[in-house]
Amino acid sequence: MINIGVLGSTGSVGRQTLEIARKYKDKIKVKLLGASKLSDNLINQIKEFNPDYVYVELGESQIIGSTKIIAGEENLDFLKDVDLDLFIIAIAGVKGIKPTYILLESGKKIATANKEAIICLGELEKENYKNLIPIDSEHSAIFQIIDRRPLDDVRRIVLTASGGPFLNLPIEDFEKVTIQQALNHPRWSMGKKISVDSATLLNKGFEVIEAHYLFGLPYEKIDVVVHPESIIHGMVEYIDGSVISNLSYPDMKIPISYAIFYPERKQLNNNFLDFTKIKNLTFLPPDNEKFPLLNFAIECGKIGGMYPTVLTVADEVAVNLFLQGKIKFLDIYGIIKEVVENFKVYNVKNVQQLLDFIKEVEDFTVSVAKRYGNT
Ligand SMILES: NC(=O)c1ccc[n+]([C@@H]2O[C@H](COP(=O)([O-])OP(=O)(O)OC[C@H]3O[C@@H](n4cnc5c(N)ncnc54)[C@H](OP(=O)(O)O)[C@@H]3O)[C@@H](O)[C@H]2O)c1
């Protein structure tokens, strides 16, 4: 039996994790669930999986049946005493930082989709990333290719981008983009925040920074190519010119299942590639005029220090304002750029300083955003 915990169990990655647990209930026992609140969805999951622990940020600590509900970020330290084979982190955004930090510091085995935490904790925790299993599909692809072998003979890795919903939208139409259009990803069905990040292509910029920290590769060895079919998820080019790639139809259950059963593989939904039906595999350079945030993110990554954190936080605030209808799509670009260029960046030495720093960037972003849209 593999005993797992799923933080962010009610979201897109979390629900797909539980689908795998349901399919393999003879092999996986879900002992911990977590979400922001005790929603109907979470209550149904508790009834179905009967976990020992449930974490919620909001609400009251209590006991329901044999399940201990632990509420409040200030009580997250309880994770140190929970003994599981694997913790899956599927929380969206910077709220994933604290649990990720606690789990890493207490030496727990983690598989994570939460790129924001990987980025923001990068400078403090990168040494502890060695045992972490990535769930983000591109990073899982690279992990599936290189496993834990040394990277001396790797010339570069290539992360693929679908190009998002606006790949073919003329630049003059970006002014009128609606929330619904931005959420309408052509290949993946995901949570709202990452869907908007995919529409701006900043998601790919985050993934470059994520790859830098996870695999310890310099930015010069991480490339991005637009690949609208989303069949190839990642490629590793070696110094002899050989390229090994990872292919499948887009399905997050593949990287999630790989993370749970690593190094074994399990059958999922029989959605096997039919090569005779794939007419084209297209590759394009990213359009930096339409999607300037991709290169902007890579520049932030290269400067390093706390710049990737400022970028991550500014984006999270701006995307939330866009999703609330308070700013326009293109305002996301302007706000992020202004925050990164004007926030007085300083270094942090521990996680509490990091969380305080994030609060300052959030406040600064809100003040910058006041000059945009109708915030
Ligand atoms: N979706 C994908 O296909 C995909 C692919 C690659 C990477 N990722 C990454 O995976 C992460 C999750 O993405 P998602 O699309 O699954 O997001 P999502 O659908 O928005 O789900 C977010 C989850 O996080 C929980 N959550 C939010 N705030 C929380 C808090 N303060 N404390 C505890 N839990 C909290 C939510 O709980 P409530 O339901 O209670 O709000 C929900 O369970 C993101 O970092 C994303 O970039 C996602």
Side-chain angles (χ1 to χ4, degrees), residues 123-139:
E123 291 302 313
L124 296 176
E125 288 292 313
K126 59 185 166 214
E127 291 309 316
N128 283 331
Y129 286 174
K130 285 188 279 288
N131 299 322
L132 201 154
I133 301 183
I135 289 181
D136 216 348
S137 58
E138 298 76 3
H139 304 75

Side-chain angles (χ1 to χ4, degrees), residues 8 10-13 35-37 57 90 113-116 136 190-191 252:
T10 52
S12 162
V13 172
S36 71
K37 58 197 174 295
E57 188 191 9
N114 183 227
K115 61 193 86 189
E116 295 89 349
D136 216 348
M190 309 181 284
M252 281 307 291

Side-chain angles (χ1 to χ4, degrees), residues 1 22 26 65 80 99 124 141 151 178 198 230 239 273 277 322:
M1 259 319 190
R22 216 170 266 129
D26 55 327
K80 291 180 186 166
L124 296 176
L151 301 175
T178 64
S198 299
S230 296
I239 47 177
L273 280 179
K277 291 208 175 111
F322 170 69

Side-chain angles (χ1 to χ4, degrees), residues 41-275:
N41 197 352
L42 184 58
I43 290 171
N44 287 336
Q45 291 179 351
I46 297 170
K47 283 185 190 148
E48 180 180 355
F49 291 98
N50 192 26
D52 295 342
Y53 302 94
V54 169
Y55 167 72
V56 282
E57 188 191 9
L58 308 168
E60 302 280 306
S61 292
Q62 54 185 298
I63 290 179
I64 302 182
S66 57
T67 302
K68 219 171 161 181
I69 315 274
I70 294 133
E73 259 194 318
E74 65 286 5
N75 294 320
L76 265 170
D77 271 350
F78 84 96
L79 290 171
K80 291 180 186 166
D81 302 320
V82 180
D83 203 16
L84 298 179
D85 298 310
L86 185 67
F87 289 84
I88 292 176
I89 306 177
I91 295 174
V94 295
K95 282 291 181 183
I97 291 175
K98 203 169 171 191
T100 305
Y101 175 81
I102 290 170
L103 292 168
L104 282 170
E105 280 293 300
S106 46
K108 308 285 184 190
K109 203 171 152 207
I110 304 176
T112 183
N114 183 227
K115 61 193 86 189
E116 295 89 349
I118 295 175
I119 294 170
C120 297
L121 285 168
E123 291 302 313
L124 296 176
E125 288 292 313
K126 59 185 166 214
E127 291 309 316
N128 283 331
Y129 286 174
K130 285 188 279 288
N131 299 322
L132 201 154
I133 301 183
I135 289 181
D136 216 348
S137 58
E138 298 76 3
H139 304 75
S140 172
I142 304 297
F143 180 68
Q144 290 182 51
I145 298 165
I146 60 176
D147 205 326
R148 291 189 166 129
R149 284 188 294 275
L151 301 175
D152 307 340
D153 53 1
V154 170
R155 182 172 174 269
R156 61 171 176 155
I157 62 169
V158 182
L159 308 178
T160 54
S162 70
F166 305 139
L167 177 64
N168 298 314
L169 189 75
I171 195 161
E172 51 279 13
D173 291 348
F174 274 54
E175 193 59 43
K176 306 190 286 273
V177 159
T178 64
I179 299 172
Q180 220 38 53
Q181 285 173 311
L183 292 177
N184 190 19
H185 197 279
R187 300 281 170 204
W188 300 91
S189 163
M190 309 181 284
K192 288 185 179 176
K193 197 250 170 189
I194 182 175
S195 296
V196 178
D197 286 343
S198 299
T200 61
L201 237 65
L202 179 53
N203 181 53
K204 209 49 58 180
F206 287 146
E207 289 179 2
V208 171
I209 304 173
E210 182 185 4
H212 165 77
Y213 283 123
L214 281 180
F215 303 116
L217 280 168
Y219 285 97
E220 292 66 31
K221 289 190 173 188
I222 308 170
D223 274 352
V224 171
V225 67
V226 175
H227 166 51
E229 294 85 4
S230 296
I231 297 284
I232 298 182
H233 308 297
M235 300 183 256
V236 179
E237 182 176 61
Y238 291 90
I239 47 177
D240 60 0
S242 177
V243 177
I244 301 183
S245 60
N246 170 276
L247 289 73
S248 72
Y249 290 123
D251 182 353
M252 281 307 291
K253 284 197 280 300
I254 298 174
I256 298 168
S257 162
Y258 191 70
I260 296 174
F261 293 109
Y262 172 81
E264 286 177 26
R265 292 182 185 271
K266 292 277 178 268
Q267 196 169 3
L268 290 166
N269 51 13
N270 298 335
N271 193 13
F272 299 113
L273 280 179
D274 182 343
F275 290 99

